[in-house]
Amino acid sequence: MGNDRSGTGAETASGPGYALLLAAGPAGKQRLMDTTAALPQFAAVPPAALLGTPGGASVVQLVDPADPQTVLTHLRTAAAHPGPVLVHLAGQLTLDAKQRLPHLALARTTPRTARYTALPWHWLAAELGRRPPGSTVVIADLVADETAWPLLRTVGPYGLAAGLTLYGTVAPGPPKREMATPVYSQAFAGLLRGAAERPPLALLHQRAALEAGLGDGPELLLDGAGPERAYPAPEPFVPQAPAAGPMAVAPPPMPPGAPEPFRTAGPAPAPPPPPHAGGRRWAPVGQRPGAP
């Protein structure tokens, strides 16, 4: 069940809000987006405008975390907040090699270690999907690496949006030795800074996508559609069912008739501990767009 029924995100909840701003990506050449360029724009938005709450809001920034359990702790803190919640994600999606499930890459993520070092997307959906309807919105500015993009292009936006009120964009990774810019995040935050009060999120999303030059390319636009506005159902992606472990986290229930592209036959297990170890603008790796 999605969290929003009105297209306005968290505006049906009252009280002070809570925003979690997460910018994450692998270190070195594996990084596909200049994720840190998104956070200064959002940090400049007054908290009350960011959440649409006259009573203000708490804002937490999480930059390049290395441990998925750390991110999960922050998600649980956000999910337990009694007022409106906004989660902003800037980063890249990958698939783990074993179950082929989408994960948000973190600082230590590599293609071989995604299952241990990246945040499973179903953790995000499970934690936030339990909140009251209308209280939660996720704003995502994502690129998908070569393992994740073919799947996402096939299943469509609803594969990520199921269980969430999700606005944003997912694009394929940039050419080699180039890096994507979070243009959607920058446009979204810029519109918020210039607004006397927060407009409906559906309208804000449309304007941000237009200003960022998105919509005519290969990007998937995530427009907050919930179960009552399901996208046409493609052939569902059903990975091989893993054995449920003692720390299994069950994904939120799916609405009747909705596609289940990322659902397994049993509850999805939490990754085991990591092994022992010591439209868009592009810019060359190591150089921010617009830099001389």
Side-chain angles (χ1 to χ4, degrees):
M1 179 178 295
N3 276 329
D4 184 29
R5 291 291 179 272
S6 62
T8 58
E11 294 171 320
T12 61
S14 59
Y18 187 96
L20 175 61
L21 310 180
L22 171 60
K29 296 180 180 180
Q30 299 294 329
R31 185 178 291 250
L32 301 180
M33 175 185 280
D34 181 14
T35 53
T36 57
L39 290 193
Q41 307 288 336
F42 271 86
V45 178
L50 188 60
L51 273 295
T53 52
S58 299
V59 179
V60 175
Q61 297 187 45
L62 198 57
V63 182
D64 281 334
D67 181 12
Q69 294 291 340
T70 298
V71 182
L72 180 61
T73 298
H74 282 275
L75 285 172
R76 286 176 172 168
T77 299
H81 186 76
V85 168
L86 180 144
V87 176
H88 171 254
L89 305 173
Q92 66 194 65
L93 294 173
T94 188
L95 300 186
D96 70 290
K98 184 174 183 179
Q99 299 177 35
R100 310 298 292 172
L101 294 173
H103 288 59
L104 182 69
L106 302 180
R108 294 190 294 116
T109 300
T110 67
R112 287 189 174 185
T113 66
R115 182 166 179 249
Y116 309 100
T117 60
L119 179 77
W121 189 266
H122 58 264
W123 284 12
L124 176 80
E127 294 301 327
L128 300 181
R130 299 188 184 104
R131 287 179 50 81
S135 67
T136 314
V137 64
V138 178
I139 308 298
D141 195 344
L142 304 169
V143 294
D145 70 11
E146 60 186 6
T147 70
W149 178 248
L151 173 63
L152 293 174
R153 184 176 57 183
T154 299
V155 302
Y158 195 74
L160 293 176
L164 298 170
T165 298
L166 180 62
Y167 291 92
T169 178
V170 184
K176 290 184 178 180
R177 295 187 294 276
E178 296 184 354
M179 191 176 293
T181 304
V183 290
Y184 176 85
S185 294
Q186 293 171 342
F188 193 99
L191 291 167
L192 280 177
R193 290 200 312 272
E197 60 181 37
R198 194 178 76 175
L201 285 172
L203 178 60
L204 192 57
H205 162 74
Q206 292 173 2
R207 291 180 176 174
L210 182 63
E211 288 200 8
L214 304 175
D216 294 328
E219 304 92 358
L220 301 177
L221 294 180
L222 309 161
D223 62 1
E228 294 159 356
R229 291 177 54 213
Y231 293 91
E235 289 296 323
F237 172 74
V238 182
Q240 184 177 0
M247 296 179 61
V249 179
M254 296 288 290
E260 300 180 318
F262 301 134
R263 190 163 180 165
T264 61
H276 179 72
R280 282 183 179 266
R281 299 194 298 269
W282 312 118
V285 171
Q287 175 183 326
R288 290 177 179 262

